[in-house]
Amino acid sequence: MAIVELKDVAKRYDSMPGKKGGEHANAVEDFNLITRDGEFVVLVGPSGCGKSTTMRMIAGLEHNTAGEIRINGQDVSAVEPRDRDIAMVFQSYALYPHMSVYHNMAFALELKKTPKDEVKKRVQEAAKILDIEHLLDRKPRALSGGQRQRVALGRALVRQPQVFLMDEPLSNLDARLRVEMRAEITRLHRRLGVTTFYVTHDQTEAMTMGQRIVVMRDGRIQQIDTPYNLYERPLNRFVAGFIGTPSMNFLQADYQGDTLRGEGFSCSLNPHQQAALGDAGQRARCWLGIRPEHLHQADTFTGSGRLEGAVEVIEPLGPVTMAQVRIGETLVTAQLAAHLEVQIGDTLALAFDPDHVHLFDIDSDRTLGLETDPAVSAQATA
Amino acid sequence: MSASPTNASPKRRAPTRRLMAPAVLFLLIWMIVPLAMTLYYSLQDYNLMMPDMRGFAGFLSYELLFTDPVFWDALLNTLLLVATCLLITVVAGLALALLFNRTFVGRGIARTLAISPFFVMPVVTGLIWKYMLLDPVYGLFSWVMRSMGFEPIEWLSSYPLLSVVMMISWEWTPFALLILLTGLQSLPEDQLEAVRLDGANRWQEFRHIVLPHLGQVLYVVVMLESIFFLTSFAEIYATTSGGPGTATTNLPYYIYLGAFYQYDIGLSSAAAIGAVVLANICAIFLIRFVAGNLNAGSQR
């Protein structure tokens, strides 16, 4: 178990002219994070955001070109991967094809010249936890995807490392198995309490598994926070749009008096939001963000926010129905009751509570009003 | 790696036999007929110098063959040649493949140059080595020896078999290099990373991951090379002509001598059958080896 500390960590590639492929000059910039002992940290972001590179730098498979990586206070930047006492689960599992499941799991211990009895005991233990005892004699090729995944986890477990790294370990599984393994990994983490980094591009995985989530984009951290805070108080428009499915809707709005207006919608703001817009230098325009689950049919909901447009898409999901409504140039998604009696092409009136509205700066995309939000300012100083 | 070829759909019955017939017929004519003719001649008393005195000889040719000390020399030379060339080409090829698998400036050119000996014809290889490298008077090797103050070595007369081994190895190391290099390049990077994180050092990485991965490729190299080494002829013909004495006479050269110097078709046919048996013994072992490993490596 360990505390992992990343301080101003960066990965810069020398831009090689003539080399094919437009590689980002800077894969990771200014990465700062200190984990708690035994924390489950998820790195999430769209592909190419530097989350995998960050994890590989912690593993030592890539060298950080700037900053410090410390594990339990010791700077490991110059330490070889094999001496870092870190176990990694790869997206492709990277099982050794010519070794049995038992040997795959025992291999690291055998390299360390662990006594045979001890190796056997630990492999059996891990196999029992993961329910793969009956597979120990098989070769990886004789296993299904889910079983391989378990073996890959087992190989990491057996070593009892200081830190677990998981690089999109579930992305090769089918949807049902993924949900199953998600819960299993969470359970494992609770049981073992080992500091874990988990990389994914799937915000659902991030939200359900992470104790803390690092949202990244273009090599930079956008926000580090708990799942709840990411959802409720995103720091900018990117995080707001990335977290939550379906994504938050964004509309450009004009601010007049105490009301935000745009083509097809209007919303009177609460005093706190008014202050946010007023404080920040009398902005006349801003982004209005509202989540699909906070939009309701106007005839059943009384909120001062109003929105009206033609329905273009209806997607019944069973428990709820998604409707996409044309507002000016944007399609706004609303999560509505299952029995929606609306046809495509009908005009649909939606209502929402202004308290659920997020406001973003029109130029910088930063969330407005965070400074005056008491819940956030307490965190910012922490 | 590919799935087994036998899982065609059971419902559609193609006229398998008729479709296979041309290939089988071709193989029959191509292989069985010459083999049968060789067998037939090996039982005949047939010398081209006395074509009229021809008749059934039974196993006389085989008796002569097995009592001929030159045949046993040739057999030993063949085995020595195959074994040492295999060892040298596979070890050197593997070392070079590991080297050329790393990134360095000018790698493309270096690879091409390293592979080029394989494109040189065997006779040309023999001549290059005989006149440009090994010649005691104006060869490169003797120049090096002299410029370092040593007496030049007369390679072809003092170490004839070693000279032939050097030539053949020079020609075939690029082949091993080429095939092993492609094998190395198909090794998934994440397996190396996994084993590094598992605590392996460079040697353990090679021993436990790289070598097992190369297993099948190595068998292919060994099998193909043994077949070619068993039949090496041109290098010997162009340099030592099997000599001095019988020092570099291998089975193919022995057969050649029997047929084209002694004009004894019976004896050289019998020797050819002996060579076929030897090749088959090698092939059976190798094919078992390879087949076992292909099965083990499939569906990876």
Side-chain angles (χ1 to χ4, degrees), chain B residues 76-298:
Chain B
L76 184 69
N77 283 339
T78 309
L79 292 177
L80 268 176
L81 194 75
V82 171
T84 42
C85 286
L86 269 182
L87 194 72
I88 293 172
T89 52
V90 168
V91 171
L94 185 56
L96 285 173
L98 288 170
L99 197 65
F100 283 113
N101 197 34
R102 309 178 72 109
T103 34
F104 55 86
V105 181
R107 183 170 65 164
I109 296 168
R111 276 184 186 172
T112 313
L113 284 176
I115 288 161
S116 57
F118 191 53
F119 301 128
V120 178
M121 285 167 279
V123 176
V124 179
T125 302
L127 294 177
I128 288 175
W129 277 78
K130 185 179 183 183
Y131 293 116
M132 290 175 67
L133 300 178
L134 299 181
D135 192 282
V137 180
Y138 36 79
L140 183 70
F141 286 12
S142 63
W143 175 78
V144 171
M145 294 294 275
R146 264 198 300 274
S147 56
M148 281 161 53
F150 296 104
E151 201 56 21
I153 299 168
E154 292 196 30
W155 284 96
L156 288 177
S157 47
S158 310
Y159 307 101
L161 193 60
L162 180 65
S163 305
V164 173
V165 166
M166 287 196 312
M167 283 175 228
I168 294 178
S169 301
W170 177 79
E171 203 179 355
W172 283 90
T173 301
F175 174 77
L177 159 67
L178 196 65
I179 297 200
L180 290 172
L181 188 60
T182 50
L184 279 180
Q185 284 172 345
S186 73
L187 177 63
E189 185 69 21
D190 54 10
Q191 271 185 35
L192 289 178
E193 290 175 347
V195 82
R196 259 167 234 167
L197 282 169
D198 264 352
N201 58 31
R202 280 284 164 150
W203 164 247
Q204 289 162 331
E205 197 180 305
F206 174 75
R207 165 76 191 74
H208 294 291
I209 300 299
V210 178
L211 216 50
H213 173 80
L214 285 182
Q216 301 161 40
V217 181
L218 272 172
Y219 295 135
V220 170
V221 170
V222 168
M223 184 175 75
L224 288 177
E225 287 197 343
S226 354
I227 290 168
F228 284 108
F229 293 163
L230 273 173
T231 58
S232 352
F233 176 80
E235 293 89 347
I236 296 169
Y237 180 79
T239 55
T240 62
S241 303
T246 58
T248 54
T249 304
N250 64 350
L251 270 184
Y253 203 79
Y254 179 77
I255 296 165
Y256 165 79
L257 286 179
F260 295 100
Y261 278 77
Q262 299 165 22
Y263 304 106
D264 192 338
I265 301 299
L267 184 73
S268 54
S269 293
I273 294 296
V276 168
V277 170
L278 183 67
N280 272 296
I281 292 172
C282 289
I284 285 169
F285 279 115
L286 285 165
I287 285 171
R288 275 210 190 141
F289 235 33
V290 172
N293 277 279
L294 283 182
N295 287 340
S298 64

Side-chain angles (χ1 to χ4, degrees), chain A residues 43-47 51 91 168 171 199-203 205 242:
Chain A
L43 306 179
V44 69
S47 56
K51 54 192 192 297
Q91 182 176 355
E168 310 214 13
S171 53
V199 161
T200 179
H201 61 268
D202 179 356
Q203 62 91 24
E205 256 173 47
F242 192 79

Side-chain angles (χ1 to χ4, degrees), chain A residues 56 59 61 82 86 88 90 92 94-98 107-108 111 141 155 159, chain B residues 190-191 193-201 204 208-209 212 296 298-300:
Chain A
R56 291 168 61 82
L61 297 172
R82 65 165 176 270
I86 282 176
M88 184 158 168
F90 291 80
S92 60
L95 298 178
Y96 311 131
H98 54 283
F107 188 61
L111 284 180
R141 66 174 176 276
R155 191 169 67 179
R159 290 184 42 200
Chain B
D190 54 10
Q191 271 185 35
E193 290 175 347
V195 82
R196 259 167 234 167
L197 282 169
D198 264 352
N201 58 31
Q204 289 162 331
H208 294 291
I209 300 299
S298 64
Q299 310 161 9
R300 193 177 260 188

Side-chain angles (χ1 to χ4, degrees), chain A residues 281-338:
Chain A
Q282 313 299 326
R283 285 183 187 81
R285 282 182 82 80
C286 69
W287 284 105
L288 177 155
I290 181 83
R291 294 193 183 276
E293 54 270 38
H294 296 142
L295 289 169
H296 309 270
Q297 278 183 278
D299 45 6
T300 60
F301 187 81
T302 50
S304 75
R306 293 285 153 176
L307 202 143
E308 199 172 285
V311 177
E312 291 204 356
V313 180
I314 297 175
E315 296 172 323
L317 297 181
V320 293
T321 296
M322 296 292 170
Q324 293 190 357
V325 180
R326 166 81 48 197
I327 308 286
E329 287 188 354
T330 22
L331 272 179
V332 167
T333 308
Q335 181 178 317
L336 303 174

Side-chain angles (χ1 to χ4, degrees), chain A residues 56-88:
Chain A
R56 291 168 61 82
M57 285 192 288
I58 300 172
L61 297 172
E62 307 248 7
H63 287 291
N64 47 314
T65 47
E68 279 178 11
I69 298 172
R70 292 174 175 278
I71 299 175
N72 279 340
Q74 187 210 350
D75 186 358
V76 294
S77 300
V79 176
E80 287 288 316
R82 65 165 176 270
D83 298 324
R84 290 197 187 188
D85 197 14
I86 282 176
M88 184 158 168

